[in-house]
């Protein structure tokens, strides 16, 4: 039984991170240098991207990508209310407007069928968020982006390793061949994919992120702006082949990733497949157990997708339970299981409510699904016993609090 607390998330760290970090320290390169270039190259290969630019967070990655597409004050960017603060705050950095579009109830991702109605002459980009590691419907989104000449900046904070129709998230957005010229138009789409290596993510560098793109100009701009807007390969100025001379071409940011962090990233990348396989096994064990219980709704795996299983988002059928979501979470905590909620939709937060006057029902599906969602622990460090403990705890709470059980327990007349 679960005598000790099972944390909601834990990184999978062993001697390989220590060896890599030791190498970085021994080399004398502690900030951006050769380990970072190696991490970028290996990550680009892993996702099938032409360019990968390492930065110190996914938030920084999205900020740089929006800067690179030339986002301006007063512009609009379409995203989803069902996400973390970062996806919308980066739009506000430009004094541009995040335009929220409700989700698909089955997978929590932005509903492409609602996007066109939200487009205006000011719309510049779409930020789909691949919630939990399940891809948003990128073909539909790309078709709309091509039609209205919008950029696509994917928030892939949860989406490594995720596949959409066979291709890795991080590779170039593509489209089913069509007869109306859409494929040609897509070639010109501005497109970048932003990953997170935050502590709880599927691979971690403590804090960190990556911008992936096949667009040479966009990559070049992101690389320059990630390091003070100074001319190419600024980090090399302290190497043998480097030069003391540099030029500031724009007021950039300080978003570069250190070699210490990249060293950790290299070790994490090397075991990403093993960690993902383990999360798949955990998801399978959860779903096999919970699909038996009508009080619960298991997460969808999506068609034609590979789920990264960053999160296991379980839903409670509250009308069949005598306790609410908060009580369910308390009951899990009382059984020593760490849980979380993903996400409190943006439009419910004070800043977005007061700035844009949102009401809870403005995005009814995001609001409804949020109220019944709980995220269970899913990480490769979990033992089989941990997984069984979670299944047992959830099942036990359901059995104790199902409405049917109480009716069944009433004396028969
Ligand atoms: C959907 C989503 N986008 C962006 C981020 C931001 O990532 P980072 O902490 O690397 O900036 C997060 C972080 O949790 C996230 O969940």
């Amino acid at each position: 039984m679960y005598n000790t607390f099972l944390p909601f998330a834990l990184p999978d760290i062993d001697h390989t991170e220590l060896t890599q970090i030791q190498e970085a320290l021994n080399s004398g390169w502690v900030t951006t240098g050769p380990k970072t270039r190696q991490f970028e190259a290996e990550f680009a290969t892993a996702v099938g991207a032409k360019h990968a630019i390492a930065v110190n967070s996914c938030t920084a990655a999205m900020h740089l990508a929006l800067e690179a597409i030339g986002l301006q004050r007063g512009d609009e960017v379409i995203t989803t209310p069902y996400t973390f603060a970062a996806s919308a705050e980066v739009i506000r950095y430009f004094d541009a407007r995040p335009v929220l579009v409700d989700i698909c109830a089955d997978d929590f991702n932005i509903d492409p069928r609602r996007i066109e109605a939200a487009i205006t002459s000011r719309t510049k980009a779409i930020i789909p968020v691949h919630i939990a590691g399940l891809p948003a419907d990128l073909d539909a989104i790309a078709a709309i982006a091509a039609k209205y000449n919008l950029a696509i900046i994917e928030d892939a904070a949860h989406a490594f390793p995720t596949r959409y129709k066979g291709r890795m998230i991080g590779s170039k957005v593509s489209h089913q061949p069509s007869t109306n010229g859409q494929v040609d138009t897509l070639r010109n789409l501005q497109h970048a994919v932003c990953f997170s290596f935050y502590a709880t993510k599927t691979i971690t560098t403590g804090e960190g992120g990556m911008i992936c793109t096949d667009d040479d100009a966009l990559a070049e701009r992101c690389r320059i702006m990630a390091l003070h807007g100074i001319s190419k390969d600024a980090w090399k100025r302290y190497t043998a082949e480097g030069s003391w001379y540099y030029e500031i071409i724009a007021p950039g940011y300080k978003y570069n990733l250190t070699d210490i962090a990249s060293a950790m990233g290299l070790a994490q990348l090397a075991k990403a497949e093993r960690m993902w396989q383990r999360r798949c096994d955990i998801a399978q064990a959860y779903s096999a157990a919970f699909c038996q219980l009508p009080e619960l709704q298991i997460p969808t795996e999506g068609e034609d997708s590979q789920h990264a299983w960053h999160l296991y988002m379980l839903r409670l059928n509250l009308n069949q339970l005598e306790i609410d979501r908060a009580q369910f979470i308390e009951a899990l905590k009382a059984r020593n299981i760490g849980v979380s909620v993903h996400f409190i939709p943006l439009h419910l937060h004070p800043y977005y409510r007061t700035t844009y006057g949102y009401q809870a029902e403005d995005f009814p599906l995001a609001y409804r699904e949020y109220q019944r969602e709980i995220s269970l622990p899913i990480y490769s460090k979990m033992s089989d016993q941990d997984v069984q403990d979670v299944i047992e705890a959830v099942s036990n709470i359901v059995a104790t609090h199902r409405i049917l059980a109480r009716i069944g327990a009433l004396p028969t007349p």
Side-chain angles (χ1 to χ4, degrees):
M1 263 300 265
Y2 23 96
N3 297 324
T4 52
F5 184 71
L6 179 71
F8 171 67
L10 267 185
D12 193 334
I13 292 168
D14 56 32
H15 66 281
T16 57
E17 280 79 10
L18 295 177
T19 307
Q20 279 284 357
I21 291 169
Q22 187 74 55
E23 269 180 33
L25 295 176
N26 290 345
S27 78
W29 273 105
V30 286
T31 184
T32 311
K35 288 277 184 205
T36 303
R37 292 298 169 257
Q38 190 187 342
F39 184 38
E40 290 175 337
E42 291 190 15
F43 195 83
T45 304
V47 299
K50 187 171 177 194
H51 303 280
I53 299 128
V55 288
N56 55 20
S57 71
C58 179
T59 309
M62 292 192 288
H63 184 191
L64 290 169
L66 289 177
E67 198 279 337
I69 64 152
L71 195 69
Q72 299 287 326
R73 182 174 191 191
D75 287 345
E76 294 176 1
V77 178
I78 290 173
T79 191
T80 160
Y82 215 93
T83 187
F84 185 58
S87 328
E89 80 193 24
V90 291
I91 303 166
R92 294 299 298 134
Y93 292 175
F94 297 84
D95 207 6
R97 181 185 176 107
V99 175
L100 306 181
V101 168
D102 210 354
I103 57 167
C104 303
D106 61 339
D107 68 0
F108 295 97
N109 278 322
I110 191 167
D111 185 346
R113 292 165 304 184
R114 300 171 199 269
I115 291 179
E116 261 187 286
I119 292 175
T120 73
S121 58
R122 290 167 181 249
T123 311
K124 291 293 183 307
I126 305 173
I127 302 185
V129 184
H130 307 303
I131 292 290
L134 192 65
D137 186 356
L138 285 170
D139 275 357
I141 292 168
I144 297 166
K147 183 170 167 190
Y148 294 92
N149 195 25
L150 309 176
I152 300 177
I153 310 297
E154 293 174 53
D155 180 337
H158 301 181
F160 180 76
T162 293
R163 281 180 195 275
Y164 174 75
K165 297 191 177 170
R167 71 170 182 85
M168 286 293 283
I169 291 295
S171 62
K172 192 165 158 51
V173 78
S174 61
H175 196 270
Q176 299 294 322
S178 69
T179 49
N180 62 5
Q182 268 168 333
V183 172
D184 282 344
T185 324
L186 280 168
R187 236 177 250 150
N188 302 323
L189 263 190
Q190 286 188 300
H191 174 235
V193 188
C194 302
F195 293 91
S196 174
F197 309 134
Y198 176 68
T200 59
K201 296 298 192 281
T202 56
I203 66 169
T204 181
T205 58
E207 299 282 355
M210 194 74 82
I211 308 161
C212 291
T213 184
D214 275 32
D215 182 328
D216 298 341
L218 197 142
E220 175 76 352
R221 179 73 181 178
C222 288
R223 198 176 281 293
I224 288 173
M225 293 304 277
L227 198 57
H228 301 295
I230 59 184
S231 48
K232 210 172 151 206
D233 276 347
W235 68 274
K236 273 200 180 150
R237 67 192 186 280
Y238 301 120
T239 64
E241 74 268 32
S243 157
W244 58 270
Y245 185 75
Y246 62 87
E247 288 177 342
I248 300 165
I249 60 159
Y253 308 97
K254 187 64 167 61
Y255 282 163
N256 55 306
L257 192 69
T258 69
D259 263 26
I260 300 173
S262 295
M264 187 171 172
L266 284 166
Q268 289 272 296
L269 201 51
K271 58 190 175 195
E273 172 78 17
R274 194 256 301 152
M275 296 194 290
W276 172 70
Q277 286 289 353
R278 177 68 185 147
R279 293 194 306 278
C280 290
D281 291 347
I282 298 170
Q284 211 175 19
Y286 283 168
S287 289
F290 302 146
C291 74
Q292 316 282 342
L293 304 174
E295 294 82 6
L296 303 176
Q297 182 183 331
I298 61 169
T300 173
E301 301 201 12
E303 278 171 35
D304 276 348
S305 319
Q306 173 179 299
H307 201 314
W309 291 115
H310 165 52
L311 299 173
Y312 188 90
M313 297 171 73
L314 185 67
R315 280 179 270 191
L316 309 177
N317 292 327
L318 290 169
N319 57 356
Q320 300 186 42
L321 290 165
E322 58 176 12
I323 54 173
D324 63 18
R325 192 255 311 263
Q327 290 168 313
F328 204 104
I329 289 174
E330 282 316 305
L332 277 169
K333 281 192 182 155
R335 287 165 174 78
N336 265 339
I337 307 291
V339 281
S340 190
V341 170
H342 293 86
F343 285 97
I344 305 167
L346 293 176
H347 72 291
L348 301 182
H349 289 281
Y351 173 75
Y352 289 100
R353 273 204 331 258
T354 52
T355 309
Y356 299 109
Y358 288 134
Q359 308 285 319
E361 289 295 341
D362 285 351
F363 306 100
L365 296 179
Y367 182 50
R368 188 186 75 194
E369 298 310 311
Y370 149 69
Q371 288 172 294
R372 62 196 199 95
E373 192 275 345
I374 56 171
S375 299
L376 299 180
I378 182 164
Y379 48 95
S380 48
K381 287 284 256 194
M382 286 174 73
S383 67
D384 288 349
Q385 187 60 53
D386 292 335
V387 176
Q388 282 317 308
D389 288 350
V390 175
I391 292 174
E392 207 176 289
V394 170
S395 308
N396 180 263
I397 296 165
V398 168
T400 312
H401 297 287
R402 56 165 55 111
I403 287 173
L404 266 179
R406 280 182 57 212
I407 296 168
L410 290 176
T412 39

